[in-house]
Structures are given as structure tokens and as C-alpha cells.
Amino acid sequence: MWPTSTRVAVVTGGSRGIGRATVSRLAADGLAVVVGYVAGKEQAWAAAQEVAVAGGRALAVQADVAVEADVAGLFDAAEEAFGGIDVVVHSAGRMTLAPVSDLALADLDNLYRTNVRGSFAVAQQAARRLRGGGALVLLSTSVVARPLPRYGAYSATKGAVEALTKVLARELRGRDVTVNAVAPGPTVTDMFLDGKDEELLARFAAEPPLERLGTPADVADVIAFLASPAGHWVNGQVIRANGGVI
């Protein structure tokens, strides 16, 4: 077991995108980080190695967030390696876009499995295990508050995440643990870029008053604030990190 003088974070979906940027950001803040992943083993281990090379502490652990035993094992690994858990960031997610009239229900089931069941499974373990002063940060999407065609199913799953956030924050009264959600706008990740041409990306980039797409680092900075002692008075909130789109 590592020494436990520093805070410890578990980041699901930590092998790429916003999760990967969050791993780097929290490690830079001095946290030991457990990189959760379901696929992309090489990317996850590269993320952990990057932290180690910079003088931090990290390990990668495979876990399907929709499988209760996997999620429990992820948290077990964090406690065994580092002695406890202070921050949980649930970045793992899935996005399928289609008009409501055209979406296959099998695709809806897959979205629900990862985005709703997975969020609940991770939140449940966080509620049981986070130490006092800790923080749970879930990932939503700004599209929940800005309805766009083809985003119906995805937005519905993330709306569930926002509801869960607000309820759990109140259920943890007396534990000194915060629960918040970060809802990114258009952000340059593989998941967002998939299936979008240059013209569509340019339209997305022109919408924010800041006139650009977000980056994973932009979102990771917001997550890191909520996970830090400086952000501990923010609780039960959904932060729309989108450059001012809405």
C-alpha cells in the first residue's frame, strides 16, 4: 500500500477524452489516481504511466461501470493501493444520436446501461466509501438544458444523472461529502467528433461567445475545482461548462 498522506481519486473513463484530462489534472494537484477503464487498456496504462513519470502515483484498473462487481472491485483496488478514496469522477459514458422515431431500442438499452445504470453503480459505491471532505463529480451534458434534434435518448440518460446528483447530495447530509455534476458543451473528444464533418464542427465552434469548441482540459479544470477543498461549498449543483452557449 502507498503512503496515505495525499488525497485519492477514482476516475472512470480515464483512458481518453475528458476522463484522461481529469486524470492528468488531479495528479498535477497532488492526488493519487486510479484510472478506471473498460476498453483501451493501453491508453489507460499510458495515462497511469504519464502520472508516474511526472512523479505522481497512479494505477489502471479495468471495470465495466454497469457491472456491480466490477465497480466494487475498482473501489477495492483504490482502497487497497492508497488506503482510501476522497474523490470520485464518473466520466465513463456512451453517446448514440438518432431521431426518437428512428432509434433502435437496443441502442437505447445500451445508452441506459452505461449512462444511467453505470452512473448509479458508481454513485452508490462513492456514497458508501468516500471519506469526509470528499467529492463525487458526475458527467452530464449541456444538451439537457438545450434540446437538440437527434440527442433525445442521450439527453434523457443524462437528465437522469442530473436528478441523481441532486438527490444524492441531500442523502449524504452529515457526511461532509459533496455531489455535483459537470455538463460540458461541445468538447473536442473522440465521442463528440464521431460522425461530424468540418462544416458542422465549425457551426458548433461559432455558437459560444468565446467562439471555439471546448477542450478536455477546460472541463477537467472545472472538475478539479469541484473536487478540491476550494470547491467544497458547491454541492448538489449542475455546472454547465460550455463557453456560454446557454
Side-chain angles (χ1 to χ4, degrees), residues 98-163:
V100 171
S101 59
D102 297 340
L103 183 74
L105 291 184
D107 290 335
L108 178 65
D109 290 341
N110 287 332
L111 280 171
Y112 177 90
R113 182 181 185 277
T114 299
N115 295 355
V116 180
R117 179 185 171 91
S119 294
F120 196 93
V122 171
Q124 188 173 64
Q125 290 295 327
R128 294 170 179 172
R129 306 207 202 193
L130 277 167
R131 296 188 285 206
L136 168 62
V137 183
L138 302 169
L139 268 290
S140 180
T141 172
S142 284
V143 180
V144 170
R146 183 173 180 262
L148 292 177
R150 304 180 69 243
Y151 282 81
Y154 179 65
S155 295
T157 64
K158 292 301 188 175
V161 171
E162 295 189 8

Side-chain angles (χ1 to χ4, degrees), residues 2 11 13-16 19-20 23-24 33-54 56-63 74 77 81-82:
W2 291 92
V11 181
S15 64
R16 61 179 187 157
R20 174 74 177 264
V23 168
S24 297
V33 185
V34 177
V35 183
Y37 70 98
V38 67
K41 179 179 179 179
E42 291 183 1
Q43 292 172 301
W45 282 98
Q49 182 62 24
E50 182 180 276
V51 171
V53 168
R57 297 175 291 169
L59 73 154
V61 178
Q62 186 174 29
L74 175 65
F82 300 122

Side-chain angles (χ1 to χ4, degrees), residues 11 19 22 26 75 100 106 124 136 141 192-193 195 208 213 230:
V11 181
T22 300
L26 294 179
F75 279 69
V100 171
Q124 188 173 64
L136 168 62
T141 172
F192 171 74
L193 294 174
L213 296 173

